[in-house]
Amino acid sequence: MEKCEIKIVSLHPKINFKMTRIRLFLDQLIHYKYHITVCLGLTLVGFADEYSFMNRLKLDMQISEMEEEIERYSAQNEKDIKVLQELRHNPAAYEKIARERYFMKTEDEDIFVLSDDKKTTTKDETDE
């Protein structure tokens, strides 16, 4: 059985040159078809897919941020539970909270609020 080759011959030399370059490119493409397929597959899985490696990293970062929030809210919840238990068992705790947070006072008291902040003066205040 003889091997039959078909040659495309053009009368124009630039066309022959282009055909040989295209043929060489296609031969290389066919030769490395498995390598190209694997690279394209890894690219799709790594970056372009819905379940890609990049999306997985983003989701892992979100999970770690949410776990930190859970820890912070749990600590706040524990503090609030202690305050609530103290309010249930100790009626003087109401007075303490009212004085500290809301600056409430009894009839015969005066409250002075002291601040360490420096007072800034404006131009109008210095002119007077």
Side-chain angles (χ1 to χ4, degrees):
M1 183 169 204
E2 292 181 26
K3 189 173 181 183
C4 181
E5 274 189 47
I6 299 175
K7 289 187 178 182
I8 300 173
V9 179
S10 174
L11 298 176
H12 200 280
K14 286 187 179 180
I15 294 176
N16 270 340
F17 179 70
K18 287 181 182 178
M19 292 295 283
T20 56
R21 289 190 74 193
I22 291 172
R23 183 68 183 167
L24 285 173
F25 176 73
L26 290 176
D27 286 342
Q28 291 294 322
L29 197 66
I30 290 170
H31 182 71
Y32 292 111
K33 63 185 170 189
Y34 295 113
H35 294 98
I36 293 169
T37 304
V38 168
C39 289
L40 286 175
L42 289 175
T43 303
L44 284 174
V45 169
F47 301 103
D49 192 25
E50 181 181 349
Y51 304 106
S52 69
F53 183 70
M54 297 296 284
N55 284 340
R56 181 177 169 87
L57 288 177
K58 288 178 188 176
L59 292 174
D60 285 341
M61 289 174 53
Q62 286 179 353
I63 287 171
S64 64
E65 289 173 0
M66 287 180 182
E67 287 173 348
E68 290 173 3
E69 282 185 33
I70 288 171
E71 290 174 7
R72 189 173 62 238
Y73 289 137
S74 295
Q76 182 67 35
N77 188 27
E78 289 174 10
K79 289 178 187 176
D80 291 343
I81 288 173
K82 287 179 183 177
V83 170
L84 187 61
Q85 287 176 351
E86 184 179 346
L87 286 173
R88 285 183 183 154
H89 298 295
N90 188 6
Y94 287 113
E95 185 178 341
K96 178 181 175 186
I97 289 174
R99 288 176 182 265
E100 289 177 358
R101 292 188 188 169
Y102 304 111
F103 302 111
M104 292 183 170
K105 63 177 186 157
T106 59
E107 295 283 329
D108 58 344
E109 286 182 330
D110 289 327
I111 295 179
F112 297 99
V113 178
L114 303 176
S115 175
D116 291 338
D117 297 337
K118 294 181 180 178
K119 184 177 180 183
T120 58
T121 58
T122 61
K123 187 177 181 181
D124 296 335
E125 291 176 358
T126 57
D127 291 340
E128 294 176 1

